[in-house]
């Protein structure tokens, strides 16, 4: 039972390069999320997708784009990476349940030089 | 503006004693509060939650207390075990938006249990 799978786990980019973080869940959840974690800041919501075909901005969406490819997959794209986007990125999924938990992937550590 | 705050970056507790982690929030519209535990190089995992209409929820060694008038919640771990050493995040949930569970996280508290 894989749960939420993120790829790649580590990536180093140069300023201005682009990349896509991939996320897939096998729990048949409707909602998916991308968070970033920075030291002293906790986790901050970048984008979320309440259901297949919908995406919405979270707290810190600037510099990112997302695609909900199907019910299982939700990707995060950095079009022109900046050093401020150096962070650990977490994908999560959840069901349509008030107060229900989010299930997180193991994280993707991104360094932008 | 930090809507959810964990003011203690770290906490050290003796094995077998009680660990108390605290969290404050500012938004009275939050309808659920959750605690997550995170080990290094892993994703956060759900620990326990409480509805805003309750004041206590217990699950084994873990109890969460909610004081709505003070906008404060706490997580009690009794007895503390070495495996409890981790970073603990408090999170608050905005009411469901189109079914999505938007969580606002605190900064985290690193708990160390000493043998």
């Amino acid at each position: 039972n894989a749960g939420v799978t993120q790829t790649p786990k580590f990536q180093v980019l140069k300023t201005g390069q682009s990349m896509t973080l991939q996320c897939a869940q096998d729990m048949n959840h409707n909602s998916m999320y991308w968070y970033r974690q920075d030291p002293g800041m906790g986790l901050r919501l970048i984008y979320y997708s309440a259901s297949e075909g919908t995406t919405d901005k979270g707290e810190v969406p600037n510099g990112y784009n997302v695609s909900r490819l199907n019910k299982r997959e939700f990707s995060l794209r950095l079009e022109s990476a900046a050093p401020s986007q150096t962070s650990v990125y977490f994908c999560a999924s959840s069901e349509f349940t008030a107060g229900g938990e989010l299930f997180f992937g193991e994280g993707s550590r991104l360094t932008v030089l | 503006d930090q809507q959810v705050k964990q003011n203690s970056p770290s906490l050290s507790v003796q094995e077998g004693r009680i660990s108390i982690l605290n969290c404050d929030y500012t938004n009275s519209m939050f309808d659920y509060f959750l605690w997550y535990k995170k080990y290094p190089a892993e994703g956060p995992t759900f620990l326990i939650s409480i509805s805003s209409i309750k004041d206590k929820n217990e699950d084994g060694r873990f109890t969460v207390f909610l004081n709505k008038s003070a906008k404060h919640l706490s997580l009690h771990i009794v007895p503390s075990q070495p495996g409890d050493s981790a970073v603990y995040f408090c999170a608050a949930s905005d009411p469901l938006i189109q079914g999505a569970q938007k969580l606002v996280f605190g900064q985290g508290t690193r708990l160390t249990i000493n043998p």
Side-chain angles (χ1 to χ4, degrees):
Chain A
N1 189 3
V4 178
T5 304
Q6 295 179 227
T7 55
K9 294 216 173 0
F10 300 94
Q11 184 74 47
V12 179
L13 289 178
K14 293 182 180 177
T15 297
Q17 287 186 318
S18 61
M19 76 156 299
T20 300
L21 297 175
Q22 307 285 356
C23 175
Q25 51 94 7
D26 62 3
M27 294 172 283
N28 202 35
H29 286 163
N30 287 291
S31 301
M32 297 186 73
Y33 313 80
W34 277 104
Y35 281 85
R36 60 178 286 175
Q37 184 194 6
D38 301 294
M41 302 287 289
L43 285 84
R44 292 180 293 168
L45 182 64
I46 306 171
Y47 270 94
Y48 67 98
S49 170
S51 60
E52 188 178 352
T54 70
T55 60
D56 284 285
K57 295 178 180 179
E59 192 182 346
V60 288
N62 291 346
Y64 305 96
N65 285 302
V66 290
S67 296
R68 183 74 182 267
L69 304 169
N70 47 55
K71 191 172 185 179
R72 288 187 66 246
E73 298 173 288
F74 188 37
S75 63
L76 178 72
R77 182 161 179 85
L78 286 71
E79 290 291 352
S80 179
S84 61
Q85 294 178 304
T86 293
S87 188
V88 181
Y89 291 85
F90 289 98
C91 178
S93 68
S94 73
E95 252 311 341
F96 277 172
T97 306
E101 63 179 287
L102 268 62
F103 293 83
F104 285 85
E106 293 187 337
S108 299
R109 182 174 292 276
L110 175 65
T111 301
V112 183
L113 302 175
Chain B
D1 182 30
Q2 192 92 22
Q3 296 188 73
V4 178
K5 290 185 181 179
Q6 294 176 256
N7 291 316
S8 298
S10 63
L11 177 67
S12 186
V13 173
Q14 204 75 20
E15 182 179 358
R17 299 288 183 102
I18 184 171
S19 296
I20 300 176
L21 295 94
N22 294 302
C23 179
D24 297 296
Y25 64 95
T26 57
N27 187 347
S28 57
M29 297 301 292
F30 289 139
D31 60 353
Y32 281 87
F33 301 89
L34 300 86
W35 285 94
Y36 278 81
K37 176 179 180 179
K38 185 182 180 306
Y39 292 121
E42 295 183 9
T45 55
F46 171 76
L47 199 55
I48 191 169
S49 65
I50 187 167
S51 164
S52 60
I53 62 172
K54 307 267 187 182
D55 54 21
K56 178 182 174 181
N57 187 28
E58 192 171 353
D59 183 3
R61 297 185 299 114
F62 303 93
T63 303
V64 57
F65 295 92
L66 176 62
N67 182 333
K68 283 191 71 175
S69 60
K71 293 192 175 68
H72 176 83
L73 64 154
S74 60
L75 174 68
H76 293 212
I77 306 173
V78 183
S80 300
Q81 300 173 354
D84 296 329
S85 295
V87 176
Y88 288 78
F89 289 99
C90 168
S93 174
D94 270 326
L96 285 180
I97 298 177
Q98 300 174 339
Q101 184 86 281
K102 289 175 63 179
L103 296 184
V104 180
F105 285 82
Q107 307 96 309
T109 297
R110 181 177 303 278
L111 175 64
T112 303
I113 306 300
N114 301 305

